[in-house]
Every structure is written in structure tokens, then in C-alpha cells.
Amino acid sequence: MKTLSETWFADGFIDFELKKYTLLAYLQEVNKYFNQNKLYPQLADVIFHYNNLVAFRENKKFLQEQFPKKLSGVQIEKLQTLYEQMIQDDELMLELEEIINYAATKMKRAINNGTEIYEFVEEKMKIYPVGLIPLDTNEGYFFLSEGTYSVTRVYQYRLSFFEKHDEKYRSIRTEFVDSWQRSLAHTFEQIKLELIKSKTDLPNPAVYSIETELKLPFDETLLPIAKRSLVRFITTPAA
């Protein structure tokens, strides 16, 4: 897909019409994927660029805290220098403000489009534990079934903490294990037993089933939404 550089609005010649053309070409590509119900990595990318613009407009240290791994020190320094120039140059300030305001509005619409799809898919997902769940749920497996539920994809997961702005967040890492054809011999409970026998490093794993009737792009939509939904399911205290 077409991509934008992390500093696209400040690269090269700062001209509204030029940046508008660059932006619209990018968003056209993003919306093409959304129209195919493919959300990732497009949704995450456009959210990054939107936050990028807002952070610059609000005169923050440009993403240094929010996205420390996305921008290099050279890029951050360049944008901070540009902000100082913008304050001193009324013409440059007006041009950049026009670019940023226009781009933020257009990106927000694209994010809304993607979010509507995300929320629809999320609502159609059902998550429930398979067997007894141990006290430690930071590592285990999840079974992902779609459509007719005839095929179940099994993934091993691991949750971890990270902190940002004095707040704690969860991240999830997953590894594909195998696919099983659902049958009387391969119920979820039976698959769980087979996993315990074959992977002795997890003798008492947390195991969850995630099911949806939807048939949508798997890697671009179903899997990433399932992973995020599972994190929230595990970390949200029971009512």
C-alpha cells in the first residue's frame, strides 16, 4: 500500500496543494483496504499519523514520549526545529496549520470508517474459557474459529506489562501452533489435553475459545481484533 513517512507534512517543500495530493493518495489506498474489510496494518498506521499531527499542533515534544520507537532522534530534532521556525515565520505557520488541520480532519474520517468495522467485528466475537482457568493467565492458548467453526486455529499467547506516562498497559505476543478440524475426537477440551501433553512447558495453561460467525480477512482483521479482545477479556475484572 501507499505509505506516508513519519514526517510527511514537514518533508521537502511545504505547500498545501502538494501535501493535499500526497495525503489523498494515501487515504484513497487506506479506504480501499477498509472497503475490503481489511483493517491492519492500515488502521494502526492512520491512527499513528493522526496522533502525529495532533501532537505537533499542540506543541508537544513531537512523539518522543508517545512513540519512542517510531521516530528517530534526528526526526524529532527536525520537527522541533521546524516548530521553532513556524513560530517565527507567519507565512510558514499559516501554510503548516492549513496542511495539519486539513489532514487531521481527513484522517479522522478514515479512522471513523475503520473503527466502525472494528466495533462491528468485535461485537460478533464470543470469548469463553475452555475448562478451568488457572490464577496465572499471563500465558496460555486461544482457539480462533470463524464462519462454520469447522476449523480451529490454535495460538499460544503471552501477556506482558509496559508503562507509559505512569500508566500500565498490556501487550500480547502470539505464536501459531496448529489448525484442528472440529470433530467428536477434537473437541476444545480434547485439543487442550493434547496441547498439555505435547508442550510440557505449560502444564496448566489458561485456554480460551474465540468464535465468530463472520467470514472476513483473517490476518488483516479477525486475528488482530481477536488478540485485542482477548487482552481486554483477560484484564477486565469480572463484574
Side-chain angles (χ1 to χ4, degrees):
M1 65 171 274
K2 293 182 182 295
T3 59
L4 294 177
S5 76
E6 291 87 348
T7 56
W8 68 275
F9 63 92
D11 292 342
F13 187 59
I14 299 175
D15 174 76
F16 176 79
E17 291 299 327
L18 177 62
K19 300 299 182 183
K20 176 181 175 181
Y21 175 82
T22 301
L23 172 72
L24 292 180
Y26 164 74
L27 290 179
Q28 183 180 35
E29 189 82 359
V30 168
N31 284 314
K32 182 185 76 173
Y33 282 95
F34 286 174
N35 290 336
Q36 298 170 7
N37 292 317
K38 296 180 179 179
L39 292 184
Y40 289 92
Q42 289 75 28
L43 181 56
D45 192 64
V46 72
I47 289 174
F48 165 77
H49 286 298
Y50 174 79
N51 289 335
N52 218 345
L53 294 172
V54 172
F56 187 81
R57 184 169 60 188
E58 294 180 357
N59 189 20
K60 295 178 179 177
K61 289 183 178 180
F62 191 77
L63 297 184
Q64 194 167 12
E65 295 178 353
Q66 296 183 16
F67 297 94
K69 296 180 181 179
K70 191 78 174 182
L71 292 177
S72 68
V74 173
Q75 289 170 319
I76 293 171
E77 183 178 353
K78 173 185 175 182
L79 290 166
Q80 289 174 338
T81 301
L82 176 63
Y83 196 93
E84 293 172 1
Q85 292 175 347
M86 187 178 76
I87 294 174
Q88 298 170 6
D89 188 332
D90 291 341
E91 185 176 347
L92 177 61
M93 178 184 291
L94 291 174
E95 194 76 10
L96 265 174
E97 284 183 347
E98 188 176 14
I99 293 167
I100 290 172
N101 290 336
Y102 177 84
T105 299
K106 292 291 186 181
M107 286 181 175
K108 185 64 174 177
R109 290 178 186 171
I111 291 171
N112 289 340
N113 292 338
T115 301
E116 286 181 6
I117 300 170
Y118 184 103
E119 291 176 348
F120 173 77
V121 176
E122 186 180 43
E123 288 176 0
K124 297 294 184 178
M125 284 189 170
K126 299 177 182 178
I127 304 177
Y128 57 88
V130 177
L132 296 176
I133 296 297
L135 293 177
D136 184 2
T137 58
N138 289 327
E139 190 171 9
Y141 303 97
F142 68 89
F143 306 158
L144 184 53
S145 308
E146 57 173 325
T148 61
Y149 308 146
S150 60
V151 176
T152 297
R153 294 176 173 88
V154 177
Y155 294 83
Q156 184 172 346
Y157 77 85
R158 177 185 288 274
L159 296 182
S160 59
F161 280 108
F162 69 96
E163 293 188 13
K164 183 171 67 175
H165 305 306
D166 297 325
E167 293 186 61
K168 291 184 177 181
Y169 295 85
R170 288 272 197 171
S171 64
I172 184 170
R173 291 186 177 182
T174 61
E175 179 181 351
F176 177 71
V177 177
D178 206 346
S179 292
W180 269 269
Q181 195 78 23
R182 292 279 295 277
S183 67
L184 292 177
H186 280 123
T187 62
F188 285 157
E189 289 75 13
Q190 185 61 38
I191 294 172
K192 179 178 179 178
L193 289 175
E194 290 184 22
L195 289 169
I196 292 173
K197 290 179 181 179
S198 62
K199 291 181 170 289
T200 56
D201 56 319
L202 282 178
N204 186 28
V207 181
Y208 300 90
S209 170
I210 306 175
E211 297 181 357
T212 179
E213 63 190 22
L214 301 175
K215 289 287 291 183
L216 293 173
F218 191 85
D219 291 328
E220 299 92 343
T221 302
L222 291 181
L223 179 58
I225 294 178
K227 289 162 61 174
R228 288 165 175 79
S229 298
L230 180 63
V231 171
R232 186 168 58 257
F233 183 87
I234 292 174
T235 58
T236 300

